[in-house]
Amino acid sequence: MTRVLGRLGGSGTGRIAALPPGLLRAPTAGVAVAVAAYLGVLFGVADVVGSAGALAAAVGLAVLAATASARLVSPRTAVLAAVALLAAGLLGYYLSVPPDVREVFTPTNVVVDALRLLTGISVLRLVRVDAWVLATTPIPTFLAWYLAGRGRHVQAALVAGGTLGFLVLTGDAGVGATLLGVLGVTLAVGLSTLSVPSGIRTQWDTFAALLAVMVVLPATISAFAFGGVVPTSAGSAPGLESSVTGTSESLDVVGRVGLSPAPRFRVESPVKANWQVASYDRYTGSGWVRTGEPDLLGGSVDAPPGETTTVRQNVTALSRLELYPTVWKPVSVAGPTAETAELADGGTINPRVPINTGETVRIESAVLRTSPARLRAAGTDYPDAIRERYTQLPESTPDRVANLTRRVTADAGTPYDAAVAIERYLPRVKNYSLSVSRPDGDIADSFLFEMRAGYCTYFATAMVAMLRSQGVPARLATGYTAGTEVSDGEWLVRAQDAHAWVQVYFPGQGWVNFDPTPAAARETARDRRLQAAEESGAGVAGVAVVTEVVTPGEDTPTPTRTAAGNGSSDEDLSAEVARVIEQGIPGESQSSGDATGTVINTASGATTPTETPIDPAAEGDDGDGSGPLPDRRTTGYAVLLLIGGAAVAHGTGATRRASRTVWLHVQLREGPARDVERAFGRLQALLAGRYRERRPRETPRAYLAAVGADDARMARVLEIYERSRYGDETTREEADEAVRAVDGIVADATPILGRPLRRIAGVARWVRSHVG
Amino acid sequence: MREYTLTNRGRAVVAICGAAALMAWLFGARALGAVVLPGIVALAGAALQLRRIDPPEIRRDLPPDDAVGATHEVGLRFVDPATGASPASPFVADVVEATGSGLSDPPTVRVVVGEATTTYPVSYERRGSPTVGPARIRATDVLGLLVRRMEAGPADRVLVYPGRHPIAARFRRRLYREGGLGTSRQRDEFDRLREYDRGDPLRDVSWSATAKRDELIVTEFAAEAERAPVSIAGGAEDGGADDLATATASVALALLDDGVPVSVDLPNGSVEVGPTPEGRRRLLELLALATGGEPPETDADAVIEADLDGTRVRVGDAELSFEEVRMGGEATGEPGGVGRIPAGETA
């Protein structure tokens, strides 16, 4: 194959269209796989920010340039050109970054930032990752392809592997992509090592077995140790809290989650509200990423553009707290760790140093006072920065999301009405469940069209995606619901209160909360868990303290609009914000609790909110109807395991030994002479294993005598064999006798292993005699 | 040197695995397990592959004995020492042969040991009997991460003959006379025609017979074998043995080319040979191994002595330097070979 290709390449020498000879050699396949592995990751990134088309063009150009220059340009020139292009590309990237961000770029900062990426910060967090991907991706692609064209496949694999390694360190390359890259690099290195005459022909089985183990072992271990590859067989579900309000800068949407009643913090606040800790702007299709770096707070920040009321909260940590939970929007912080407080790009404030248990922080928030009428009147004149950042959707988002949203919001004339329509639509058509399987595709699309149930992250993600598909700036907010009011104006918040909801931007007003998650079902789930913890006497310190004050039934519905007005009239805005919030939104907007409750009933037939499977431990109904079918990863892994096992078995000679074992134990009848010959062959194989092989010139009789095999049965087999071989025709009876004798000898030699094999042989013989 | 060593590639894999494990420990696992584990598998697999190898033995296709300056191919085949057949598990290796002084350093060849045969070129640089082998084998795994060093014997020897200069016709004729037979060779007693054989003097070629056939035909004369040989003795002081061998080879081969038998006495032995291929071979074998020492015979027809000052040829009372005797030009390896048509003057 390689030789043929090589000849084709050789004959083309001198023609401009001819490919460089290095590209026509076998290791190029490995280089191509390794390049494909990192390109797959980067195309995923480009898809999120909508530059996949441009990236494809850039990569295509790079490949063409590399192919063309492989014959013409010296390696030195090519590497220098690549470095220069990379420098130019990065310069272009920095120029594309907004000026206010750009001014912090000093050479030191740039280097430190680049190194920080390697600690596991996704490139998706770069503000202009679209420009970054376009500027950097073609360079290693050019270099790897150029080197492959020059026949330097190992160096080419190094370039591709290094690029993938960068993406592994940033956390953007998953186990699958990484293993694909490892496979490619190994192929390239191995095939170039074996590119000596008859190298591949004699070593392919060893190589294949090695490759199989290299890929299957990590896949297996990550499946069982990290739950990375085979989620369905992974261990226990993560907590809802960690999946929603982790401190990380990205939020992966996971499958089944559990609830933990552990107390987190206590808030003294005049208002009941969602305590927000973070917001996410970039939707990747499989999760959320916060772009940009937080700045040191240093004083206070601006209040939202609309009319606001100041709310002061005292947050007391009941466990180490790495976040400041506040009502939106926090403007200043005082107390321990306040001097390290950082302002995230999205407007939330968090400490760089965690707050210790028992410490109290005073947080001041400017809460927007607004009304549906004002929100309706806000218009769509969004600032460019807001529109660009908060209407982003992956290019690969199916059109049906937008189509569905158009139908749902057909009657809505303003973004506010659209948001309300979606907020009502989702709880009507989807059930609440904590035990769902994470879908393979786009989360929002899968939730809308394939899943029957989900929890807050799914509802909120779907709503943001729907709004963005209509050009309405929206984002995911995470934090905690109000929790339990333990005394007047004091709220106890537990891990299980973790929540995700939606914020929509209104020009001249600011970010306004919407919550599409069915509140009643969510609270039922939470309370069940709490009750269970009490009943089982789980000695969670905080639980005992609060038992007497837990009165789930009396809870008002979770306020969906922290700062929506009374709704009936704009004039009523002078009312205390606290009351506005406590009452929720009357009229059309007062909805969550009762409305969703009834809607769920009608939508899912027999299922009532309380009957919704909510116990995270409840297996079976994972809400998306794909339960009995193994998912794609499991299937892929099984196939991998099968191929790998076969390669290893072949490479280590296990298949040969296995077929030898079967041959030794199982004899089907063919005809007297053949049967006797084979029976004696089996005997001889058995003796060869026990003593030694028969020497080339040794007669069977001399051999048996020499190894001291003087068993009467063996002597009889020998006699029949000799007569069959050198004497008269063998009779059926004699053949049967010989086979039976050898069966007996083999059975005595291998009492345990042989039995099942002989049984199979017996069945096979019986079938044959009755069929034939 | 240790038997197992990591190659640069192997060291890179170790470094990458170490760095990845460190990053995973410091900043979280990410997909680094999918880097570290395959790396460890690759290294362990490399060690396993190399441990499985049984050091093979070498069977050489040795080049012919030839004169200084010649270049030949050495063929290599690998066998299992136990069975004599091809090794059971072939492996990729860099093979380089150790050669004794007198041969050029052989190149390193990359080959699948146990499967393919391979050849490498070797130049004969100095007279003597250098060894070829044992082969140094650097076996490597399929990814080239680890190297296992082993030696594969046995070692063989080749003979490298001294070079040769053409000898002036005047001097050759003088030697015939000194031998007492030179006035006329009795070339009239024709015996038979036969095919040319390696080492036959060109003057015996029967051109008329050759023209009718495809191969060279020589005439054999009946009386040749009975002719008394010209005796040559030689000796050398330290460091002069090579010069002695070259001068003796030049003179003796020139006489054989003329159809004159010679007897040669050297410190390491003596031969008396006629102008046959076999005779030339025996002469050259003696010369290839010539050492220094006093000339064993001082009243030979020609006595050749070599030392640091030069090489002298004494014929009767006359003593000539070897430079005067030869026809000029440097020594060539070409005519020394037993199988070649002499390039020098033949008349």
Side-chain angles (χ1 to χ4, degrees):
Chain A
M1 178 70 169
T2 344
R3 203 180 307 147
V4 172
L5 289 175
R7 201 174 296 145
L8 287 175
S11 70
T13 313
R15 263 186 286 142
I16 288 175
L19 284 172
L23 288 183
L24 299 165
R25 292 182 33 215
T28 304
V31 175
V33 171
V35 168
Y38 76 73
L39 282 184
V41 175
L42 289 171
F43 269 101
V45 169
D47 172 67
V48 167
V49 291
S51 59
L55 182 62
V59 166
L61 270 179
V63 168
L64 280 181
T67 311
S69 59
R71 282 173 183 281
L72 307 173
V73 182
S74 76
R76 206 183 133 81
T77 317
V79 170
L80 283 178
V83 169
L85 276 173
L86 185 65
L90 287 178
L91 188 71
Y93 163 67
Y94 287 130
L95 292 179
S96 78
V97 165
D100 58 318
V101 185
R102 203 191 308 157
E103 67 194 19
V104 301
F105 282 134
T106 63
T108 331
N109 281 1
V110 168
V111 171
V112 170
D113 279 358
L115 289 179
R116 282 196 53 211
L117 280 177
L118 300 183
T119 64
I121 295 176
S122 166
V123 295
L124 277 168
R125 295 202 49 224
L126 296 170
V127 176
R128 288 299 309 272
V129 68
D130 50 342
W132 183 87
V133 161
L134 278 179
T136 54
T137 313
I139 312 300
T141 312
F142 166 81
L143 208 53
W145 207 243
Y146 165 85
L147 288 168
R150 298 288 290 196
R152 302 181 171 204
H153 295 99
V154 175
Q155 290 175 15
L158 196 68
V159 170
T163 310
L164 184 65
F166 173 80
L167 294 171
V168 170
L169 287 175
T170 63
D172 289 297
V175 171
T178 311
L179 283 178
L180 186 69
V182 165
L183 185 80
V185 170
T186 313
L187 265 177
V189 171
L191 289 177
S192 55
T193 307
L194 295 179
S195 60
V196 287
S198 70
I200 292 172
R201 189 170 56 75
T202 56
Q203 306 283 299
W204 72 267
D205 47 355
T206 310
F207 188 37
L210 185 72
L211 272 178
V213 178
M214 282 175 75
V215 175
V216 171
L217 185 75
T220 310
I221 289 185
S222 71
F224 293 107
F226 314 123
V229 170
V230 189
T232 47
S233 61
S236 65
L240 174 67
E241 183 191 31
S242 66
S243 89
V244 171
T245 62
T247 50
S248 98
E249 310 298 358
S250 61
L251 187 150
D252 281 331
V253 177
V254 297
R256 210 174 66 191
V257 293
L259 293 178
S260 155
R264 280 287 174 263
F265 55 90
R266 202 164 48 230
V267 189
E268 290 168 42
S269 162
V271 299
K272 177 182 180 182
N274 279 359
W275 317 116
Q276 186 173 351
V277 297
S279 70
Y280 293 87
D281 55 341
R282 185 165 282 163
Y283 173 52
T284 67
S286 61
W288 288 89
V289 172
R290 192 184 311 157
T291 67
E293 289 296 301
D295 290 330
L296 212 56
L297 176 61
S300 63
V301 290
D302 292 341
E307 198 178 325
T308 60
T309 302
T310 300
V311 171
R312 291 188 182 79
Q313 309 137 85
N314 291 335
V315 176
T316 305
L318 298 179
S319 68
R320 241 167 86 96
L321 206 57
E322 299 185 29
L323 308 152
Y324 292 145
T326 67
V327 55
W328 182 258
K329 169 192 183 192
V331 291
S332 71
V333 178
T337 76
E339 65 279 3
T340 72
E342 290 177 328
L343 175 68
D345 255 15
T348 52
I349 297 176
N350 286 307
R352 183 167 282 176
V353 183
I355 319 168
N356 289 323
T357 310
E359 288 178 341
T360 301
V361 199
R362 294 182 302 285
I363 304 170
E364 196 175 293
S365 294
V367 179
L368 183 68
R369 293 169 56 188
T370 187
S371 68
R374 283 192 192 182
L375 295 175
R376 281 196 188 96
T380 57
D381 189 14
Y382 304 112
D384 284 344
I386 294 281
R387 185 199 296 279
E388 193 172 316
R389 189 163 175 180
Y390 292 107
T391 57
Q392 164 269 339
L393 267 185
E395 273 179 336
S396 57
T397 309
D399 290 339
R400 56 184 182 175
V401 174
N403 294 341
L404 173 72
T405 312
R406 260 194 296 280
R407 282 203 304 278
V408 170
T409 61
D411 298 333
T414 63
Y416 173 77
D417 291 320
V420 170
I422 295 169
E423 189 190 35
R424 288 181 177 179
Y425 167 79
L426 285 176
R428 206 169 64 222
V429 296
K430 297 293 171 189
N431 288 343
Y432 185 84
S433 168
L434 287 170
S435 51
V436 295
S437 290
R438 187 194 179 288
D440 278 330
D442 184 282
I443 298 291
D445 177 67
S446 304
F447 180 65
L448 287 175
F449 295 99
E450 281 151 31
M451 298 167 69
R452 283 193 288 124
Y455 50 88
C456 55
T457 320
Y458 288 89
F459 281 94
T461 301
M463 177 161 171
V464 175
M466 291 173 84
L467 283 170
R468 287 186 175 186
S469 76
Q470 303 307 308
V472 178
R475 66 184 189 184
L476 184 83
T478 61
Y480 297 82
T481 54
T484 318
E485 189 164 19
V486 288
S487 66
D488 193 28
E490 189 173 346
W491 311 82
L492 176 79
V493 181
R494 302 166 182 283
Q496 66 192 18
D497 292 321
H499 191 44
W501 61 94
V502 178
Q503 288 185 318
V504 181
Y505 190 83
F506 292 91
Q509 301 287 310
W511 292 101
V512 175
N513 288 351
F514 288 79
D515 193 345
T517 309
R522 199 183 64 76
E523 281 167 23
T524 316
R526 190 192 63 189
D527 297 340
R528 276 244 179 122
R529 180 68 192 86
L530 199 57
Q531 240 168 1
E534 287 162 23
E535 282 162 10
S536 68
V540 187
V543 175
V545 174
V546 293
T547 35
E548 68 271 27
V549 292
V550 174
T551 47
E554 294 167 19
D555 264 7
T556 48
T558 311
T560 53
R561 213 84 76 252
T562 33
N566 188 307
S568 50
S569 76
D570 287 358
E571 282 71 32
D572 205 8
L573 284 172
S574 58
E576 264 188 21
V577 180
R579 281 195 46 215
V580 170
I581 293 166
E582 274 182 357
Q583 287 164 359
I585 297 119
E588 60 171 40
S589 304
Q590 186 191 359
S591 57
S592 311
D594 309 311
T596 50
T598 47
V599 173
I600 287 176
N601 282 341
T602 55
S604 58
T607 316
T608 65
T610 47
E611 282 168 354
T612 312
I614 40 175
D615 183 356
E619 302 275 353
D621 185 352
D622 46 8
D624 60 4
S626 69
L629 289 172
D631 71 3
R632 222 170 47 202
R633 290 176 180 189
T634 313
T635 318
Y637 173 71
V639 169
L640 197 65
L641 204 63
L642 217 63
I643 296 174
V648 171
H650 185 86
T652 55
T655 42
R656 216 172 40 239
R657 279 198 296 278
S659 69
R660 186 89 188 147
T661 309
V662 172
W663 179 84
L664 185 64
H665 286 90
V666 180
Q667 177 169 7
L668 297 180
R669 300 303 164 79
E670 290 155 284
R674 293 271 307 143
D675 287 350
V676 170
E677 193 171 326
R678 213 190 120 179
F680 186 75
R682 289 167 62 204
L683 174 64
Q684 203 167 276
L686 189 72
L687 292 175
R690 201 185 295 169
Y691 307 104
R692 61 167 175 81
E693 299 268 359
R694 179 159 71 93
R695 303 210 173 94
R697 298 249 170 85
E698 209 172 11
T699 63
R701 184 167 288 275
Y703 171 62
L704 283 189
V707 299
D710 44 8
D711 186 301
R713 284 181 299 182
M714 293 187 196
R716 179 68 188 138
V717 174
L718 178 67
E719 194 182 320
I720 296 173
Y721 171 71
E722 281 177 342
R723 197 168 331 138
S724 150
R725 188 82 197 270
Y726 308 108
D728 316 328
E729 287 247 317
T730 319
T731 63
R732 177 86 260 166
E733 289 67 36
E734 277 177 333
D736 286 347
E737 188 186 351
V739 172
R740 260 198 311 277
V742 173
D743 280 348
I745 296 166
V746 170
D748 291 350
T750 54
I752 297 168
L753 177 75
R755 191 167 302 154
L757 283 173
R758 281 189 299 277
R759 194 156 297 160
I760 293 168
V763 171
R765 246 177 261 152
W766 183 87
V767 168
R768 219 192 217 196
S769 62
H770 283 72
V771 172
Chain B
M1 191 164 269
R2 281 177 303 154
E3 188 179 2
Y4 292 89
T5 35
L6 282 171
T7 62
N8 285 340
R9 221 182 262 177
R11 277 192 279 272
V13 170
V14 170
I16 289 169
C17 286
L22 184 72
M23 288 301 276
W25 181 61
L26 288 177
F27 304 114
R30 287 159 276 178
L32 286 166
V35 176
V36 178
L37 288 171
I40 293 172
V41 169
L43 289 169
L48 271 177
Q49 287 169 57
L50 295 188
R51 281 190 59 130
R52 216 167 62 159
I53 292 172
D54 298 317
E57 238 174 47
I58 297 250
R59 297 282 178 271
R60 281 190 199 81
D61 186 6
L62 279 176
D65 299 341
D66 205 343
V68 166
T71 299
H72 288 291
E73 296 261 289
V74 181
L76 287 182
R77 196 161 57 81
F78 304 89
V79 298
D80 189 325
T83 62
S86 290
S89 46
F91 57 92
V92 179
D94 287 327
V95 176
V96 60
E97 293 249 65
T99 49
S101 68
L103 293 179
S104 62
D105 287 336
T108 302
V109 286
R110 168 153 282 219
V111 66
V112 174
V113 168
E115 182 68 21
T117 57
T118 185
T119 60
Y120 63 89
V122 63
S123 300
Y124 293 8
E125 290 178 340
R126 272 185 44 215
R127 182 191 62 93
S129 172
T131 51
V132 178
R136 286 195 293 264
I137 296 181
R138 289 160 40 96
T140 186
D141 59 291
V142 292
L143 296 181
L145 306 180
L146 199 59
V147 156
R148 179 178 170 191
R149 291 184 170 75
M150 52 183 104
E151 266 195 3
D156 294 307
R157 282 180 182 275
V158 291
L159 277 182
V160 180
Y161 304 146
R164 172 190 180 188
H165 298 281
I167 298 296
R170 193 165 29 88
F171 181 73
R172 300 199 311 258
R173 281 196 288 273
R174 182 169 169 185
L175 270 182
Y176 306 157
R177 279 199 301 278
E178 290 293 329
L181 313 149
T183 46
S184 70
R185 285 175 63 202
Q186 300 172 352
R187 301 180 61 86
D188 41 75
E189 248 184 273
F190 172 84
D191 184 18
R192 63 188 178 108
L193 285 175
R194 60 169 173 84
E195 274 181 32
Y196 179 87
D197 201 357
R198 289 157 61 107
D200 281 326
L202 263 195
R203 60 179 292 174
D204 289 348
V205 170
S206 163
W207 295 110
S208 55
T210 299
K212 293 177 199 153
R213 310 266 295 270
D214 276 345
E215 60 265 282
L216 281 172
I217 302 297
V218 292
T219 317
E220 209 164 78
F221 299 97
E224 268 181 359
E226 291 146 29
R227 190 179 300 144
V230 173
S231 64
I232 302 170
E237 287 180 12
D238 289 344
D242 282 348
D243 290 340
L244 168 69
T246 304
T248 311
S250 305
V251 174
L253 289 171
L255 292 173
L256 291 176
D257 287 347
D258 289 346
V260 179
V262 293
S263 76
V264 176
D265 280 311
L266 293 179
N268 65 320
S270 44
V271 289
E272 186 177 326
V273 296
T276 61
E278 169 65 15
R280 285 167 175 269
R281 197 180 55 73
R282 283 176 50 213
L283 171 71
L284 287 166
E285 279 171 10
L286 178 74
L287 292 171
L289 302 173
T291 56
E294 288 292 308
E297 189 79 30
T298 51
D299 56 353
D301 296 332
V303 178
I304 301 173
E305 283 182 282
D307 57 27
L308 290 175
D309 298 331
T311 310
R312 291 166 307 285
V313 184
R314 187 154 51 74
V315 179
D317 297 332
E319 185 168 287
L320 303 160
S321 79
F322 183 61
E323 279 69 33
E324 294 173 81
V325 173
R326 53 186 260 213
M327 289 204 322
E330 289 302 303
T332 67
E334 184 67 14
V338 287
R340 283 159 215 274
I341 299 170
E345 189 199 23
T346 53

